Amino acid sequence: MTRYKILSYDPYLAPYERDIALRMANYADMRARLLGEELSLSDFANGRQFYGFHQTGDGWVYREWAPNAEQLYLIGDFNGWNRESHPMRYIGNGNYEILLPDQNALAHGMQVRVLVCTKDGAFDRIPLYITRTLQQPDHRFNGVIWAPKEDFPWTDAGFKRDAKEPLFIYECHVGMSGEQYQISTFLDFTRDVLPRIQRAGYNTVQLMAVMQHPYYGSFGYQVTNFFAVSSWFGTPDDLKNLINTAHNMGMAVFLDLVHSHAANNAVDGIAGFDGTQHQFFHAGGRGDHPAWGTKVFDYGKPEVVHFLLSNIKYWLEEYHFDGLRFDGITSMLYRNHGMSSFTEYAMYFSHNTETQAITYLQLAAELSKEINPDCVLIAEDMSGMPGMCLPVAEGGIGFDYRLGMGMPDFWIKTLRDARDEDWDMGQLWYELIQRRPKEKVVGYCESHDQALVGDKTIMFWLADQEMYWHMNKWEQNDKIDRAVALHKMIRLITCACAGEGYLNFMGNEFGHPEWIDFPRESNGWSFHYARRQWRLSDDESLRYAFLLAFDRAMVELLKGKRLLLLPTVLLVQDEAAKALVFTKGDYLFAFNFHPRYTYIANVDPAPNYGYDLVLNTNWEIFGGAEANESGGGPAYRKSQKNAPLVITLPRRTALVCKLLR
């Protein structure tokens, strides 16, 4: 039996060597089953090149997969929605085809559906591989032929993400990215928000809700049409323009990919497309997600794997995405969808484990790297599945990063349940530095999850309703003073230590007030909380500008010096003083979280050297009390040989110093 490297990285996996071997055997078996001896995964994942609508030299061809159907008919604008005039021909293996010999039989912008006839009845559906949909007056959607006369004029051929630079991800929802009480578009975002992200210093834009979802309030996580760009925000070319512009501004763009489940919407989506639930999903209760009310894919079915892998290839090649953030992986990995605590290793290798989903994720990772070796893969897995971010060849699942989902939970629990003087420095440090061996993490203190109605952002936990009345710069307010100070410290220590990458949800960098609540019946279909109030950070009379200035300085330092990629060495952990001091390379970080007392640290990380102060959360430009001194001269220099370095930290203050050699 082959011994995989994952076992040498983590000795606690020794009892589960056979489980790791089974993981790899399942992968090899499915790969051989799909590809044989000649195909590559990229060759296999060509569903979009065969299915759907294609213009040919002779006219048009449309192909569909509906194994339970007895007959299919193409219907739409082109034939006056005649339900019988254009029958499709069965060509085997559940596939149907229709040839339209006239080049003008279909045209860009025409609306279509497919009538599916089964022994249990007839119903019309949106083609599975459709790339655009539009909502109708009766609220349902139709498929749209997207075939512009000219291809999109990409100008990003020279763009290449710097793999040596740590990820600084700006997580975005296009629809709520504007200030107006409406759904913003890709064009709005490109014009108004991309420049803000660039000025903020983030090098990666992560787009949520790109795949078509009829229910706007689902945040994009109930997908119906997997190859279609969300019609809420604009056209496929509008999305391409956004990505092309971001690339020309030097920023990578990641797609928030939803392959963990699908909307339970048979009218507009793939659910029940051929009259059965088991075309794409598990039959019976196993195919229903009990918490989300959605459908669960059958990852052991080759046709499903083909559909999903083809979907990955499509988004990477057609839209030039640079990475994929896989949503809801924990739900995929376990039959109970991860709705339990993971307290021991045996829970990762039990009868509850969806081994077919693991195999699919391995294939998805391999395909992504085959298409683009620099493609970044991020796993949203809160369970901590061993090997998630190790290469497949080493016994892993093949992703690059996992989201550090424990960190925001820690911050919310601390802010909610503990007095400032009771903060646990040991627990904080553990949450900051915990990693699976050899596996990288994207750290964050809050994402869109913490901003949703029913929860609170960090700034709202800290300041609450005082934000509405006391965020001006000339008024002193103890609660706001505390909130501004801790907001900066929480972000700095999380960014510096919690991962090899960092993520922020749009607006949270300047403490955006309130929560996110999409228009729905219970709030009167209001857009009040489904937008971003950028003007708050632009207003120099408000303290939001201080928080934005600090975030920019923090990102500039940590990204520019690539500090996230350096080892972290703890020098001081003082529970009584609520202080932490650590180094990353030539940089020293010191934090005093205490609500009342100044902290004096005596540290000796580098004998005979001094330090320059390069960042201080208490500088006036960040809303603090100290004059701004950066890069001018030695802030902390030892007075004699081998003397300790003495650092004085006022309460709720953090600083970063650069070693002088």
Side-chain angles (χ1 to χ4, degrees):
M1 183 169 60
T2 302
R3 183 173 176 82
Y4 294 96
K5 287 185 178 181
I6 186 176
L7 298 165
S8 63
Y9 297 153
D10 188 349
Y12 291 103
L13 285 173
Y16 308 101
E17 183 171 2
R18 290 187 177 276
D19 296 279
I20 297 297
L22 177 62
R23 171 190 292 182
M24 299 307 298
N26 290 341
Y27 159 75
D29 289 347
M30 177 59 88
R31 196 178 188 283
R33 182 180 176 189
L34 298 177
L35 308 183
E37 297 181 358
E38 298 181 2
L39 286 179
S40 67
L41 274 173
S42 183
D43 293 332
F44 171 76
N46 274 336
R48 178 67 185 88
Q49 281 70 48
F50 180 77
Y51 294 108
F53 294 89
H54 301 277
Q55 202 161 11
T56 69
D58 299 327
W60 290 80
V61 60
Y62 164 55
R63 300 186 188 95
E64 197 59 86
W65 177 58
N68 184 60
E70 295 184 340
Q71 181 62 59
L72 266 61
Y73 296 86
L74 180 61
I75 58 177
D77 291 338
F78 75 100
N79 68 356
W81 297 92
N82 188 307
R83 299 170 73 82
E84 297 179 353
S85 63
H86 286 75
M88 299 179 66
R89 179 174 64 93
Y90 184 69
I91 58 175
N93 298 318
N95 297 315
Y96 290 81
E97 177 183 83
I98 185 170
L99 303 175
L100 303 174
D102 185 353
Q103 285 277 358
N104 298 315
L106 297 175
H108 176 64
M110 281 186 172
Q111 298 190 29
V112 293
R113 275 185 167 255
V114 57
L115 177 63
V116 181
C117 301
T118 74
K119 63 179 188 273
D120 298 315
F123 37 82
D124 56 285
R125 296 285 187 253
I126 295 177
L128 291 175
Y129 285 80
I130 202 73
T131 58
R132 179 158 170 75
T133 68
L134 280 179
Q135 192 172 32
Q136 305 306 300
D138 63 0
H139 300 298
R140 77 172 191 170
F141 287 74
N142 283 339
V144 177
I145 302 296
W146 186 258
K149 291 183 178 179
E150 296 182 358
D151 292 337
F152 179 80
W154 290 99
T155 61
D156 65 347
F159 175 77
K160 182 177 174 62
R161 189 187 70 83
D162 185 353
K164 295 181 180 179
E165 187 174 81
L167 294 174
F168 279 79
I169 301 171
Y170 203 82
E171 183 186 37
C172 304
H173 185 284
V174 167
M176 57 171 289
S177 65
E179 294 226 26
Q180 303 304 313
Y181 295 91
Q182 62 188 29
I183 298 175
S184 291
T185 68
F186 291 127
L187 296 178
D188 297 331
F189 186 91
T190 302
R191 181 191 63 237
D192 300 331
V193 183
L194 281 183
R196 289 183 178 274
I197 301 172
Q198 185 184 44
R199 290 195 298 271
Y202 289 81
N203 56 20
T204 304
V205 181
Q206 183 170 293
L207 295 179
M208 307 171 60
V210 168
M211 304 163 77
Q212 175 62 21
H213 52 289
Y215 178 43
Y216 182 57
S218 75
F219 229 140
Y221 291 124
Q222 293 190 14
V223 174
T224 46
N225 313 105
F226 282 74
F227 290 80
V229 172
S230 174
S231 57
W232 296 116
F233 313 135
T235 71
D237 277 5
D238 293 340
L239 174 59
K240 291 177 180 179
N241 178 62
L242 187 162
I243 297 170
N244 191 59
T245 303
H247 285 169
N248 284 306
M249 296 170 75
M251 295 182 290
V253 186
F254 292 176
L255 170 67
D256 197 342
L257 186 78
V258 184
H259 280 187
S260 48
H261 62 138
N264 186 11
N265 179 339
V267 175
D268 299 313
I270 70 172
F273 180 85
D274 73 345
T276 70
Q277 290 300 318
H278 60 263
Q279 181 182 5
F280 286 98
F281 313 111
H282 288 292
R286 190 178 173 190
D288 297 317
H289 198 296
W292 298 342
T294 51
K295 301 300 296 182
V296 178
F297 284 106
D298 181 353
Y299 302 102
K301 195 170 183 177
E303 294 87 351
V304 173
V305 174
H306 179 247
F307 179 80
L308 295 176
L309 291 182
S310 297
N311 191 235
I312 289 173
K313 182 175 181 178
Y314 176 74
W315 288 111
L316 291 179
E317 291 192 340
E318 183 71 16
Y319 290 94
H320 295 199
F321 278 106
D322 306 287
L324 303 171
R325 181 263 198 191
F326 277 65
D327 174 70
I329 279 185
T330 304
S331 176
M332 298 171 65
L333 294 175
Y334 309 98
R335 293 199 178 191
N336 71 348
H337 306 293
M339 292 186 287
S340 60
S341 298
F342 289 82
T343 56
E344 57 181 339
Y345 271 60
M347 300 181 74
Y348 300 115
F349 304 104
S350 69
H351 64 279
N352 183 43
T353 305
E354 281 283 10
T355 57
Q356 293 172 338
I358 292 175
T359 299
Y360 167 69
L361 290 171
Q362 290 175 304
L363 294 169
E366 181 184 355
L367 171 68
S368 301
K369 298 294 186 179
E370 187 176 310
I371 294 170
N372 177 6
D374 295 322
C375 179
V376 176
L377 301 175
I378 302 173
E380 190 203 28
D381 171 31
M382 62 186 299
S383 75
M385 169 63 77
M388 177 60 69
C389 300
L390 290 176
V392 173
E394 295 181 2
I397 298 177
F399 281 65
D400 298 299
Y401 298 84
R402 70 170 78 243
L403 285 176
M405 302 180 72
M407 200 70 242
D409 290 344
F410 169 83
W411 284 124
I412 296 303
K413 185 175 186 299
T414 298
L415 294 173
R416 184 189 64 211
D417 299 338
R419 301 182 307 162
D420 290 6
E421 52 267 42
D422 296 331
W423 282 23
D424 188 331
M425 295 294 102
Q427 186 63 33
L428 168 57
W429 189 250
Y430 171 79
E431 292 292 345
L432 286 167
I433 65 170
Q434 66 163 326
R435 309 277 196 282
R436 288 223 172 270
K438 304 283 188 180
E439 299 194 40
K440 294 186 293 187
V441 169
V442 172
Y444 62 105
C445 44
E446 55 184 342
S447 69
H448 71 274
D449 286 327
Q450 286 71 44
L452 286 168
V453 64
D455 204 336
K456 293 181 181 180
T457 63
I458 284 176
M459 192 59 184
F460 216 54
W461 278 110
L462 289 167
D464 207 65
Q465 63 182 353
E466 299 294 308
M467 293 179 72
Y468 295 119
W469 323 113
H470 304 293
M471 282 295 283
N472 57 74
K473 290 181 177 180
W474 57 84
E475 179 182 358
Q476 181 179 352
N477 179 285
D478 290 343
K479 192 165 188 176
I480 294 298
D481 290 344
R482 168 182 177 266
V484 170
L486 289 178
H487 192 271
K488 292 178 288 186
M489 295 180 71
I490 287 170
R491 292 185 121 60
L492 178 59
I493 200 167
T494 302
C495 186
C497 296
E500 291 72 29
Y502 177 70
L503 178 141
N504 168 67
F505 180 68
M506 62 179 186
N508 285 352
E509 71 277 10
F510 64 83
H512 195 285
E514 302 172 333
W515 50 84
I516 298 167
D517 190 12
F518 285 97
R520 50 196 172 94
E521 186 174 6
S522 60
N523 67 16
W525 304 104
S526 171
F527 282 91
H528 182 82
Y529 298 110
R531 59 195 182 98
R532 295 283 92 176
Q533 300 179 59
W534 303 106
R535 59 182 174 79
L536 296 175
S537 66
D538 297 337
D539 190 336
E540 290 299 327
S541 70
L542 299 177
R543 298 199 202 191
Y544 298 104
F546 287 144
L547 298 179
L548 179 60
F550 176 77
D551 198 78
R552 286 176 176 171
M554 176 188 78
V555 170
E556 181 182 7
L557 173 64
L558 298 183
K559 182 187 71 174
K561 303 302 180 182
R562 299 179 176 175
L563 297 184
L564 274 61
L565 307 180
L566 298 179
T568 304
V569 179
L570 180 65
L571 302 178
V572 176
Q573 177 186 315
D574 192 322
E575 288 295 338
K578 304 304 171 192
L580 290 168
V581 182
F582 57 89
T583 59
K584 293 180 78 73
D586 287 344
Y587 288 80
L588 180 140
F589 294 72
F591 290 78
N592 175 14
F593 286 100
H594 205 285
R596 291 184 297 277
Y597 303 130
T598 296
Y599 178 69
I600 299 177
N602 293 278
V603 296
D604 198 16
N608 307 320
Y609 295 116
Y611 284 81
D612 263 347
L613 179 63
V614 295
L615 187 65
N616 187 341
T617 62
N618 200 35
W619 278 339
E620 290 176 346
I621 55 170
F622 306 140
E626 298 183 33
N628 310 323
E629 300 175 6
S630 179
Y636 300 98
R637 184 178 293 281
K638 296 180 180 182
S639 58
Q640 61 187 31
K641 186 176 181 179
N642 296 326
L645 175 67
V646 179
I647 297 176
T648 302
L649 281 171
R651 66 177 187 144
R652 294 181 181 138
T653 297
L655 56 81
V656 185
C657 296
K658 170 70 168 65
L659 177 66
L660 295 173
R661 294 187 180 276

